Amino acid sequence: MKNEAAAEPLTAIHTQVIAAREGRDPRVIARLFSGWAVFGAQQFVRGYALLLPDPVVPNLNSLGARERIAFLSDMSRLGDALLKVTGAARINYAIFGNQEPALHAHVIPRYTDEPEALRTAQPWAYDWSGYFGGGADGGGPAGAPAVAGLKLSSSTSKMSSEPGGIPGLACMS
């Protein structure tokens, strides 16, 4: 890894990665090669997910070449899985780090049945009230969303705790 120093100070991303490692985050989808796939706390669209790096780093440029490739590959693999199980028309990807100064990627399914005014708008056009202010992705309800094929249960983290595992991705490896 190019820079193994964690982003300072500790962020909500750090807190969620620690909870995922300890099996305490009910939104965990899977442990991937580069980190954790988790559902967003606020499901402004069905299946909204994030990829959190493990270990946490300040930004994409802090990763060495191999780690960067792994993170971006895992991000697209998460998008592939969401496409497969949600029937989304496409996936939007975003990496900012402005509100939470630690690397994390937003993976956002987009649907043909979204409200017409929002269907072709960027995802941040949605009402994100209550989004900022807690948790790696800003708070919101603690429960896991019900997305067929990516549903969470107490056995999910055990089922997919091997690095690289995402339900529904076996055929895409």
Side-chain angles (χ1 to χ4, degrees):
M1 179 161 325
K2 184 176 172 182
N3 178 1
E4 297 211 22
E8 293 295 335
L10 287 183
T11 66
I13 305 299
H14 288 86
T15 302
Q16 192 168 3
V17 166
I18 291 166
R21 285 180 193 153
E22 295 173 354
R24 295 183 294 107
D25 187 345
R27 295 181 304 221
V28 167
I29 300 167
R31 173 67 164 110
L32 304 181
F33 295 113
S34 67
W36 298 91
V38 299
F39 282 117
Q42 184 165 341
Q43 291 290 297
F44 69 98
V45 292
R46 306 181 294 283
Y48 165 57
L50 295 104
L51 177 59
L52 310 176
D54 191 356
V56 176
V57 296
N59 53 59
L60 189 62
N61 303 97
S62 297
L63 297 174
R66 287 188 186 117
E67 292 84 5
R68 190 179 303 181
I69 289 167
F71 186 84
L72 294 172
S73 177
D74 282 348
M75 182 180 71
S76 65
R77 290 175 62 228
L78 176 55
D80 289 340
L82 289 170
L83 274 173
K84 183 175 180 177
V85 301
T86 65
R90 75 187 56 79
I91 302 291
N92 290 169
Y93 300 91
I95 300 174
F96 298 117
N98 298 323
Q99 292 289 323
E100 284 296 328
L103 177 62
H104 60 287
H106 301 266
V107 183
I108 308 155
R110 300 304 300 264
Y111 302 93
T112 57
D113 65 350
E114 290 179 59
E116 188 173 345
L118 296 169
R119 192 173 307 137
T120 59
Q122 44 83 12
W124 318 123
Y126 273 87
D127 178 9
W128 283 67
S129 328
Y131 177 72
F132 299 107
D137 52 342
V147 175
L150 285 177
K151 59 184 182 250
L152 299 177
S153 68
S154 59
S155 64
T156 302
S157 60
K158 291 178 184 77
M159 174 184 75
S160 50
S161 63
E162 289 300 312
I166 262 192
L169 276 188
C171 63
M172 297 179 187
S173 299

